[in-house]
Amino acid sequence: MKLLKLKPQPLLLRRCRRLSISAAAAVRQDTTTWISAPLATVSPAAESLFHITVDVSDSPDLATSHTKAGQYLQLRVPDSPKPSFLAIASPPSLAAAQGVFQFLVKSVPGSTAELLCGLQKGDVVELTHAMGKGFAIDQISPPQNYQTVLIFATGSGISPIRSLLESGFDADKRSDVRLYYGARNLKRMAYQDRFKEWESSGVEIVPVLSQPDETWTGEQGFVQAAFARAKKIFSPQSTGAVLCGQKQMAEEVTSLLVADGVSSDKILKNF
């Protein structure tokens, strides 16, 4: 009797392929090193935003993995297997000196971030080492060659910008450092208590509110529009930029800067 060779059905092949991919992904995920650490503080930062401080003093290798402003890590909580990617808001020097990481976390309903914001001091979370290249500040250094630095942030995107401003990038040695910081309204704008400190370091802060109340007299609308309206004269060859926040904002600001002659490799992002 002649045996017939049956061809695998496409549906079966697709299912096998999906299973193989899932298994491979699971293996890759299992290689991630997770380190347990307790929460030191959980407190409101603004509407829907929370200050989260994690004590990593018992894990020196974890603390020293944060070397550049703009780096991020993965964090997960006991009740959720799905981790969140969080930018580190504190400067690297704080981890080295005090053994803590600070974050600005937006509480999104149904997310790991929401569970994290609902925890209390002493609760234990798990973190990975810091990852990512951070902001490549060396590309807009030395400061005498890049006298203008334009910084743009929206919402919780201010988190790694805070790390940058408090890490020191010689703002006081530059003639024009501006931070365009966008939020829905003042209730949604974190770090207002740090504005004076940032300004004293040489940064001009331009808050931009998309839905302000009737008492607001500052910039309104979107960050990119506020920047376009400013019409301040600057030399493209000696200008750098740092962006973090909404994708549309980043894309439109990048287009404006490139159109003005700013080199794309001088426009820094942390992802």
Side-chain angles (χ1 to χ4, degrees):
M1 179 183 293
K2 186 176 180 180
L3 296 176
L4 297 177
K5 292 184 177 180
L6 298 177
K7 293 183 178 180
Q9 296 300 309
L11 179 60
L12 181 58
L13 283 175
R14 286 198 297 272
R15 286 177 176 170
C16 290
R17 203 172 289 125
R18 282 200 297 268
L19 288 171
S20 298
I21 292 171
S22 298
V27 169
R28 284 197 301 272
Q29 188 174 10
D30 288 343
T31 63
T32 302
T33 300
W34 293 95
I35 301 170
S36 297
L39 297 180
T41 61
V42 180
S43 62
E47 192 175 276
S48 301
L49 293 169
F50 288 80
H51 295 300
I52 305 289
T53 303
V54 183
D55 182 354
V56 295
S57 57
D58 287 340
S59 305
D61 288 347
L62 175 58
T64 57
S65 69
H66 185 207
T67 59
K68 292 187 72 174
Q71 286 184 297
Y72 56 92
L73 50 70
Q74 294 184 75
L75 184 151
R76 65 186 184 187
V77 300
D79 293 332
S80 177
K82 185 177 181 180
S84 280
F85 283 86
L86 298 176
I88 303 172
S90 47
S93 59
L94 193 66
Q98 299 182 25
V100 297
F101 286 155
Q102 294 178 340
F103 303 92
L104 178 68
V105 182
K106 183 177 182 180
S107 180
V108 179
S111 69
T112 299
E114 182 185 37
L115 293 174
L116 172 61
C117 295
L119 297 179
Q120 298 179 353
K121 178 180 178 179
D123 288 340
V124 174
V125 296
E126 293 182 314
L127 307 90
T128 65
H129 284 78
M131 57 185 75
K133 58 183 176 59
F135 295 120
I137 295 302
D138 57 330
Q139 293 185 33
I140 54 173
S141 297
Q144 59 265 28
N145 293 346
Y146 297 93
Q147 282 292 297
T148 298
V149 177
L150 303 167
I151 307 171
F152 302 87
T154 54
S156 59
I158 193 65
S159 180
I161 298 299
R162 176 203 152 191
S163 181
L164 173 67
L165 297 180
E166 297 180 10
S167 295
F169 71 111
D170 299 320
D172 59 337
K173 296 179 182 178
R174 306 175 197 261
S175 60
D176 181 15
V177 179
R178 275 175 272 158
L179 166 60
Y180 289 87
Y181 177 14
R184 182 178 298 177
N185 52 52
L186 287 178
K187 291 181 179 179
R188 294 285 186 104
M189 183 167 278
Y191 296 146
Q192 294 180 56
D193 58 332
R194 294 181 176 272
F195 284 3
K196 286 186 178 180
E197 176 187 340
W198 296 349
E199 288 171 337
S200 67
S201 72
V203 181
E204 177 189 353
I205 301 173
V206 185
V208 185
L209 304 183
S210 60
Q211 297 178 24
D213 63 25
E214 63 280 358
T215 65
W216 178 249
T217 58
E219 289 287 349
Q220 298 186 28
F222 295 117
V223 162
Q224 53 271 39
F227 170 62
R229 288 192 298 268
K231 297 185 183 298
K232 288 192 177 181
I233 298 173
F234 61 88
S235 170
Q237 291 73 30
S238 62
T239 296
V242 185
L243 283 69
C244 192
Q246 295 171 339
K247 181 180 179 182
Q248 182 179 352
M249 178 277 289
E251 290 176 346
E252 292 185 12
V253 166
T254 298
S255 296
L256 287 169
L257 292 170
V258 170
D260 283 337
V262 178
S263 176
S264 59
D265 66 347
K266 307 301 179 187
I267 303 173
L268 311 182
K269 303 170 186 175
N270 67 325
F271 284 94

